[in-house]
């Protein structure tokens, strides 16, 4: 055995995405203790920076020491008790995971299903809320990574509140790439991931609970079934102002990484980050459409950070991905579940959302598809993307 040196890839799949070099450098700094006064100072800064990213003043805003799935589980195990009814709006893979969580809490999911690739239909959600006045929570995914569709969180949260429900919102792929306004929209419990639009490594799940959600936790009849994710116990470590007691050994260096990623986000500014994701998406879209490739999601509901594109007739989608990886060190994603084999998922997330990657992806796809005999218009995509940047309101941001 010898040391492991990973290949240098460009990560344009559904996440993880390219890590910013400042984030990698921060991660390599000396490990200190999880109760060291300097680390505690850092934790307070991370909380403040996350409040900015989520646009909230919620004191209970911090990263769970595990990936996005743990943030999801943290929301469900704390807020859902056996016997509860939870409305889950599903339009892709991750809504299905919410259903699993509800069931594992001993509660009843009421499913509101939408087609994969479509956003969640607020009318259907309203009907379900009316038909289930005993429902306690509405849960949904803002940015469905399996399809690239974005749902209207503001409207869905308002509907939940109109029917006396809390709202749990998955923003794993949304945070940093597309607007999220926790306080303005009244989101009660939210979770995200670090490996998508934050330019950070995987392994943490930022969460935020508002007072209404914490009140529900305080009034539970039963203990939270997960010791590790019990938010009341986690408060001893992450809550309060500077007072910290041991709960678990935090992944110290990963928190350095998140801190640096959030500093980068603050330096750029949230609105600028959202605009950058949109600008790079527009250029990629114009290039792909000039080639003759079709997007899965209708324009107004498309996530700029996750581009789902249909595989042309007769093309082996896995062979294209292998070729891109082998010849260009470029990773793009496959379809999941019902969309496996039919689409590619191309991420433009965080540090990876930049013009250099847009041009690389367009020229590599053009070349690979042309060599495979795909029915595309060759040689026009890069020029069209350049035009898109030239016509954009602002000069392209080079990450
Ligand atoms: C929308 C959504 N929710 C939850 C998750 C789970 O996150 P993780 O893989 O970090 O556990 C993902 C991961 O891609 C996701 O895209």
């Amino acid at each position: 055995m010898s040391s492991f040196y990973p290949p240098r890839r460009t990560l344009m799949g559904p996440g993880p995405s390219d890590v910013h070099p400042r984030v990698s450098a921060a991660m390599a700094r000396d490990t200190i203790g999880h109760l060291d006064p300097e680390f505690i100072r850092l934790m307070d800064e991370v909380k403040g920076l996350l409040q900015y990213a989520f646009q909230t003043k919620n004191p209970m805003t911090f990263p769970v020491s595990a990936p996005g799935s743990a943030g999801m589980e943290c929301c469900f195990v704390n807020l859902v008790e056996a016997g509860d009814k939870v409305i889950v709006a599903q339009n892709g893979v991750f809504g299905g995971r919410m259903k699993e969580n509800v069931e594992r809490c001993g509660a009843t999911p009421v499913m509101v299903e939408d087609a994969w690739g479509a956003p969640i239909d607020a009318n259907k959600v309203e009907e379900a809320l009316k038909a289930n006045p005993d429902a306690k929570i509405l849960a949904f995914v803002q940015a469905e990574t399996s399809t690239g569709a974005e749902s209207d969180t503001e409207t869905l949260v308002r509907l939940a509140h109109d029917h006396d429900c809390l709202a749990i919102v998955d923003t794993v792929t949304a945070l940093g790439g597309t607007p999220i306004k926790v306080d303005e929209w009244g989101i009660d419990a939210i979770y995200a991931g670090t490996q998508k639009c934050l330019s950070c490594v995987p392994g943490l799940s930022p969460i935020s609970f508002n007072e209404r959600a914490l009140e529900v936790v305080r009034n539970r009849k039963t203990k939270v079934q997960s010791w590790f994710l019990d938010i009341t116990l986690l408060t001893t470590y992450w809550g309060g102002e500077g007072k910290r007691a041991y709960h678990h050994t935090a992944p110290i260096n990963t928190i350095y990484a998140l801190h640096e990623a959030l500093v980068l986000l603050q330096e750029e500014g949230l609105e600028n980050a959202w605009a950058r994701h949109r600008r790079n998406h527009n250029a990629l879209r114009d290039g792909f459409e000039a080639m003759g490739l079709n997007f899965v999601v209708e324009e107004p509901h498309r996530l700029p950070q996750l581009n789902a594109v249909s595989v042309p007739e007769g093309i082996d989608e896995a062979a294209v991905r292998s070729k891109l990886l082998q010849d260009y060190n470029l990773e793009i994603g496959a379809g999941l579940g019902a969309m496996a084999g039919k689409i590619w998922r191309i991420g433009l997330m965080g540090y990876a959302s930049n013009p250099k990657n847009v041009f690389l992806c367009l020229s590599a796809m053009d070349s690979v598809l042309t060599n495979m005999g795909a029915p595309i218009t060759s040689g026009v995509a890069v020029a069209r993307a350049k035009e898109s940047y030239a016509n954009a309101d602002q000069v392209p941001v080079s990450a």
Side-chain angles (χ1 to χ4, degrees):
M1 295 289 174
S2 56
S3 305
F4 175 68
Y5 292 96
R8 215 156 244 270
R9 307 276 198 219
T10 299
L11 299 181
M12 293 182 69
S17 61
D18 286 344
V19 173
H20 196 288
R22 269 175 57 185
V23 172
S24 308
M27 197 157 178
R29 290 178 194 141
D30 288 350
T31 304
I32 56 175
H34 59 282
L35 291 172
D36 187 300
E38 278 303 294
F39 190 67
I40 285 169
R41 189 174 65 76
L42 181 84
M43 290 167 79
D44 285 334
E45 286 191 13
V46 167
K47 286 174 71 175
L49 288 161
L50 275 179
Q51 285 172 331
Y52 169 68
F54 276 134
Q55 295 285 282
T56 182
K57 294 196 166 60
N58 288 339
M60 276 315 270
T61 302
F62 64 89
V64 172
S65 299
S69 307
M72 181 188 279
E73 202 142 335
C74 184
C75 290
F76 284 93
V77 295
N78 281 284
L79 295 172
V80 181
E81 286 189 83
D84 286 345
K85 197 186 252 191
V86 178
I87 297 180
V88 177
Q90 181 180 8
N91 60 343
V93 167
F94 292 98
R97 295 237 184 126
M98 288 181 151
K99 176 176 186 241
E100 267 288 320
N101 270 273
V102 172
E103 286 169 349
R104 283 165 192 250
C105 292
T108 308
V110 175
M111 300 305 291
V112 179
E113 313 251 359
D114 276 296
W116 288 34
I120 292 163
D121 182 340
N123 294 323
K124 284 203 229 162
V125 169
E126 188 168 24
E127 277 166 30
L129 286 161
K130 280 186 189 154
N132 295 277
D134 52 339
K136 179 177 171 187
I137 292 169
L138 168 67
F140 63 92
V141 179
Q142 175 170 331
E144 229 329 322
T145 326
S146 58
T147 67
E150 179 166 32
S151 293
D152 179 355
T153 295
E154 187 176 10
T155 301
L156 294 169
V157 172
R158 183 160 24 81
L159 284 175
H161 291 169
D162 287 349
H163 293 83
D164 280 333
C165 281
L166 292 180
I168 297 179
V169 187
D170 176 319
T171 59
V172 170
T173 284
L175 187 65
T178 205
I180 297 166
K181 299 179 178 176
V182 167
D183 288 355
E184 193 180 316
W185 298 347
I187 299 169
D188 300 293
I190 189 166
Y191 59 92
T194 45
Q195 76 274 31
K196 313 264 188 185
C197 298
L198 293 182
S199 317
C200 188
V201 292
L204 293 172
S205 181
I207 60 162
S208 186
F209 278 42
N210 71 8
E211 186 47 37
R212 193 191 331 219
L214 291 174
E215 190 59 21
V216 168
V217 176
R218 284 195 280 273
N219 290 330
R220 285 181 64 103
K221 295 189 274 305
T222 54
K223 263 188 177 177
V224 172
Q225 65 266 35
S226 163
W227 178 87
F228 185 62
L229 295 173
D230 183 330
I231 198 146
T232 311
L233 300 180
L234 281 165
T235 311
T236 59
Y237 188 49
W238 276 103
E241 283 298 312
K243 275 192 248 117
R244 303 279 186 269
Y246 170 69
H247 173 267
H248 64 280
T249 308
I252 311 288
N253 294 57
T254 316
I255 290 173
Y256 299 166
L258 176 60
H259 180 270
E260 191 66 22
L262 293 170
V263 167
L264 281 161
L265 183 64
Q266 196 186 47
E267 283 172 6
E268 181 177 17
L270 263 182
E271 282 83 5
N272 292 336
W274 300 335
R276 173 171 53 86
H277 282 87
R278 176 63 56 191
R279 202 159 53 246
N280 290 316
H281 158 77
N282 287 347
L284 187 78
R285 173 204 62 198
D286 290 357
F288 274 149
E289 288 182 349
M291 278 164 79
L293 295 181
N294 297 316
F295 275 73
V296 173
V297 176
E298 295 294 327
E299 178 84 56
H301 311 296
R302 261 179 223 163
L303 284 165
Q305 61 271 51
L306 197 286
N307 299 270
V309 178
S310 300
V311 176
E313 274 295 307
I315 292 297
D316 174 353
E317 78 78 22
V320 172
R321 284 185 296 110
S322 302
K323 200 81 186 130
L324 291 173
L325 200 63
Q326 264 169 32
D327 295 356
Y328 297 87
N329 266 316
L330 173 61
E331 180 185 279
I332 65 166
L336 281 183
M339 293 195 154
K342 298 181 189 149
I343 65 166
W344 291 297
R345 291 180 302 148
I346 299 167
L348 279 171
M349 299 180 176
Y351 183 57
S353 177
N354 66 64
K356 182 168 75 61
N357 284 1
V358 168
F359 294 133
L360 168 69
C361 182
L362 290 174
S363 58
M365 286 286 275
D366 189 329
S367 162
V368 170
L369 287 173
T370 303
N371 288 340
M372 286 183 176
I376 60 156
T377 307
S378 188
V380 292
V382 168
R384 191 61 67 82
K386 279 186 186 157
E387 270 173 42
S388 171
Y389 283 123
N391 294 335
D393 296 338
Q394 298 162 54
V395 180
V397 175
S398 306

